[in-house]
Amino acid sequence: MLENILKIKNHFLKENRELQELMKSNDVDYIIIDSEKLLNETEEGLSRVIGIVDNLRSFSRVDEEAEKGEVDIHKCIDSTLKIIESKIKYNCNIVKDYGESITVKGEAGKLNQVFMNLLVNASQAIDDQGEIRIKTEVRDNKAIIKISDTGKGIEDKHLETIFDPFFTTKKVGEGTGLGLSIVYGVIEEHCGKISVSSQVGVGTTFKIVLPSFVS
């Protein structure tokens, strides 16, 4: 496109020296070239925006029909990771160990909320640099999702109350203590179970088990 514009410009300026000088003094060639760069950057930016909006729609599932029925667990996790990427990318290496494709009966928006809470908590448990591992598998018609981190871990005395409303090990002002309580409630709504195992200084693993069928 740029070459065609410059050819047209040169054709019209060939016999008009006054116009040539005017365009030269106003650096029109630079403006034309720079305009193409700006248009390309704008197009790239719009593509990013479209991607973000698609991920947000997938994450929230604002359309009522999409909230009910079959939910692809791997798509849920992937869309959640894209939404929270800016929160976790600086201190966490994400390792995905997906098994066969898993679908469950449920509400995608609520399950996305579960994964978001667990993944953000995992990243916050890592002080410097660490790893978050997401492992999925199907066993006996159950979807098993494990989210593990190499963070500071949770003391044994807190493990029994970690899902209680308003319980938090974070400093005052850093958390409401509702995130894991909400997670527990959503998993119960989906006829599933969630458990936690942890070792101080080694890391924490949350295990979710949901009724499933393989797609």
Side-chain angles (χ1 to χ4, degrees), residues 91-92 122-132 149-152:
N91 70 324
C92 301
S123 70
Q124 290 174 344
I126 297 170
D127 289 328
D128 187 14
Q129 289 290 323
E131 180 179 283
I132 297 175
D149 66 66
T150 57
K152 48 187 168 241

Side-chain angles (χ1 to χ4, degrees), residues 88-108:
I88 65 176
K89 66 181 179 181
Y90 297 108
N91 70 324
C92 301
N93 178 39
I94 304 296
V95 178
K96 292 190 285 189
D97 183 9
Y98 288 172
E100 54 193 317
S101 179
I102 303 173
T103 55
V104 301
K105 288 286 185 181
E107 299 183 31

Side-chain angles (χ1 to χ4, degrees), residues 54-92:
D54 284 344
N55 287 326
L56 284 169
R57 284 171 59 86
S58 176
F59 181 85
S60 62
R61 302 305 291 265
V62 293
D63 49 323
E64 190 173 340
E65 280 186 28
E67 288 186 355
K68 301 172 183 178
E70 298 180 13
V71 179
D72 186 317
I73 289 295
H74 294 158
K75 285 184 179 179
C76 273
I77 296 171
D78 289 341
S79 65
T80 302
L81 285 170
K82 288 175 183 175
I83 293 297
I84 64 173
E85 181 182 10
S86 62
K87 284 182 175 288
I88 65 176
K89 66 181 179 181
Y90 297 108
N91 70 324
C92 301

Side-chain angles (χ1 to χ4, degrees), residues 114-151:
V114 165
F115 298 133
M116 184 180 73
N117 276 310
L118 294 180
L119 289 165
V120 170
N121 281 354
S123 70
Q124 290 174 344
I126 297 170
D127 289 328
D128 187 14
Q129 289 290 323
E131 180 179 283
I132 297 175
R133 179 176 290 273
I134 307 164
K135 179 177 175 58
T136 68
E137 62 178 314
V138 176
R139 192 187 307 157
D140 299 325
N141 292 323
K142 302 285 185 183
I144 301 172
I145 305 108
K146 293 181 181 178
I147 297 178
S148 305
D149 66 66
T150 57

Side-chain angles (χ1 to χ4, degrees), residues 11-28:
H11 174 76
F12 283 106
L13 294 183
K14 200 170 185 181
E15 306 298 330
N16 194 328
R17 290 198 169 276
E18 184 179 346
L19 190 54
Q20 285 180 29
E21 291 300 321
L22 181 63
M23 295 189 74
K24 186 177 179 181
S25 65
N26 285 280
D27 212 356
V28 172

